[in-house]
Amino acid sequence: MVKEMLFAEKATRIAGGHIIVSAFLGILINLFMFFKFLSFEKTSFYILCTSKTVSNFILLTGYFLYIGPTDFLYTQIGPLELNTYLNQTMGLGLYLQGPLTQMMITINRFLVIWFTPTSVPKYSNRITITFLSISWIAVTWLSTLIGLPADCRVPMGFEHIGYYNTVCNKQITIYVVITIFFLAFFTNSMNFMIAGKLIWTWRKARTNLSSEASQLRRRTSIRFYIQSCIQDWICVADVFNNLVSHSYCSEDRLCISLALICFGVLVYGADGLVMYLFNYKSTAKVANRESTLESTRSIVQVTPRITPRVTPRATPRVP
């Protein structure tokens, strides 16, 4: 019994150190991308990506300041009420914000690729901000559960500081899981339709000559689509880990807690890393290419046209 307790404490402290380091690195990459997206053109896609970095940052801050130290120090931090509110925010409320934002990103990619507008309407950003605001209001309410009984909030599943569950919390969890599965089915269905459109466009482009602007637009669409798919798969991997952990660990709360939080903290850092790889370097290359083309155009326009001088023939003198 004593050996099991010592093992549980050691494993929990190691997991706490892993969480603190991983959360700190994830915070850095998401903060960097937040300010980077602010410097980009305010398109619907980049607005959604900016929102994704905000939700990732908030969740990683909870890991860094509370979950990691609670495991590493092997003790309760703050009152139990703080624990219950953080669990409600991180486990149910903001946990949904990621899949909701991914659904909106997928819808954005679907509309752009299928209808290929040459000029994006001005009201596009307004629609994006409206739906994004609605999602933030919904997850904020779910994070606080204003108006619902207090027993709907339960503490995080830390084995070393106590854990309990209630009927209300179980019901809310079921609703959240159903919502996540619906969002996953919807987004992946749209991803298949987007992939079909991209393949058809690529085959058509092989037979027809297209301008460099069209080729650049097509490559950008493919890049954004791949980014969206990887972010979708990260969300699916997190849900899959949740199901496997509860199935494999059965009723062992220590096993479930360590499996969930050790993988969960990596999800939001990996999401920020994907946005970095697909936007920072690629955007810099596109900007350099566009500046080179612009410089070439200006040289062609500025360089004067030289007209060859024709020397008139000398008229022979008649003696």
Side-chain angles (χ1 to χ4, degrees):
M1 185 67 180
V2 176
K3 289 183 178 180
E4 292 180 358
M5 293 179 62
L6 291 176
F7 172 79
E9 179 179 351
K10 184 177 180 180
T12 302
R13 290 181 183 272
I14 292 174
H18 156 74
I19 293 167
I20 292 173
V21 174
S22 300
F24 178 72
L25 296 176
I27 287 172
L28 291 181
I29 188 66
N30 278 281
L31 269 180
F32 177 82
M33 288 311 301
F34 171 77
F35 290 107
K36 198 68 183 176
F37 284 136
L38 290 181
S39 66
F40 290 167
E41 183 183 359
K42 300 301 182 291
T43 62
S44 297
F45 181 80
Y46 286 136
I47 290 173
L48 292 169
C49 288
T50 305
S51 175
K52 197 77 182 295
T53 60
V54 173
S55 59
N56 289 345
F57 171 79
I58 296 174
L59 288 165
L60 288 169
T61 301
Y63 277 102
F64 180 69
L65 296 180
Y66 187 82
I67 297 180
T70 300
D71 278 343
F72 185 73
L73 300 176
Y74 206 69
T75 185
Q76 171 71 34
I77 297 178
L80 183 62
E81 187 176 8
L82 173 64
N83 189 329
T84 60
Y85 270 106
L86 285 175
N87 183 41
Q88 194 67 35
T89 301
M90 301 179 64
L92 293 178
L94 277 178
Y95 186 72
L96 274 177
Q97 184 61 30
L100 284 172
T101 307
Q102 278 305 125
M103 180 190 68
M104 287 185 275
I105 290 176
T106 304
I107 293 175
N108 173 268
R109 292 295 88 204
F110 177 83
L111 294 175
V112 169
I113 292 174
W114 267 86
F115 298 101
T116 56
T118 54
S119 60
V120 180
K122 294 182 179 179
Y123 57 82
S124 174
N125 287 359
R126 298 177 184 175
I127 295 175
T128 300
I129 294 174
T130 299
F131 280 97
L132 196 58
S133 301
I134 293 173
S135 69
W136 273 101
I137 292 172
V139 300
T140 301
W141 177 85
L142 193 57
S143 298
T144 55
L145 293 180
I146 299 175
L148 292 182
D151 65 344
C152 291
R153 292 188 301 271
V154 299
M156 298 181 185
F158 294 116
E159 178 69 17
H160 57 288
I161 60 177
Y163 170 77
Y164 65 86
N165 206 343
T166 64
V167 176
C168 179
N169 181 72
K170 290 180 180 179
Q171 292 175 345
I172 294 176
T173 303
I174 292 173
Y175 295 147
V176 170
V177 171
I178 293 174
T179 302
I180 290 176
F181 273 104
F182 171 77
L183 294 175
F185 175 79
F186 180 78
T187 54
N188 282 283
S189 299
M190 297 195 75
N191 280 332
F192 279 115
M193 290 187 287
I194 295 172
K197 178 67 173 181
L198 287 174
I199 293 173
W200 181 80
T201 305
W202 177 71
R203 289 182 176 178
K204 184 179 179 181
R206 291 181 62 184
T207 57
N208 299 331
L209 295 177
S210 57
S211 64
E212 186 170 356
S214 299
Q215 295 176 4
L216 181 60
R217 191 186 309 115
R218 186 166 55 251
R219 286 195 294 267
T220 303
S221 298
I222 295 174
R223 177 165 55 86
F224 285 166
Y225 168 70
I226 295 175
Q227 174 194 332
S228 177
C229 285
I230 295 177
Q231 290 178 289
D232 285 337
W233 297 334
I234 290 175
C235 293
V236 171
D238 187 31
V239 175
F240 181 75
N241 173 67
N242 197 322
L243 296 176
V244 171
S245 300
H246 282 83
S247 176
Y248 176 78
C249 298
S250 187
E251 298 298 326
D252 188 350
R253 291 306 311 175
L254 176 64
C255 176
I256 294 175
S257 176
L258 296 184
L260 290 180
I261 61 179
C262 287
F263 184 84
V265 70
L266 298 175
V267 167
Y268 309 106
D271 189 74
L273 182 62
V274 169
M275 288 187 282
Y276 169 82
L277 295 176
F278 280 84
N279 291 279
Y280 177 69
K281 292 183 178 180
S282 298
T283 305
K285 292 179 180 179
V286 171
N288 290 336
R289 188 182 298 113
E290 289 179 348
S291 63
T292 303
L293 290 173
E294 188 65 29
S295 300
T296 305
R297 294 191 193 101
S298 62
I299 291 174
V300 172
Q301 293 172 359
V302 172
T303 303
R305 184 178 178 181
I306 301 175
T307 305
R309 185 177 180 180
V310 180
T311 304
R313 290 184 177 181
T315 306
R317 295 180 63 183
V318 180

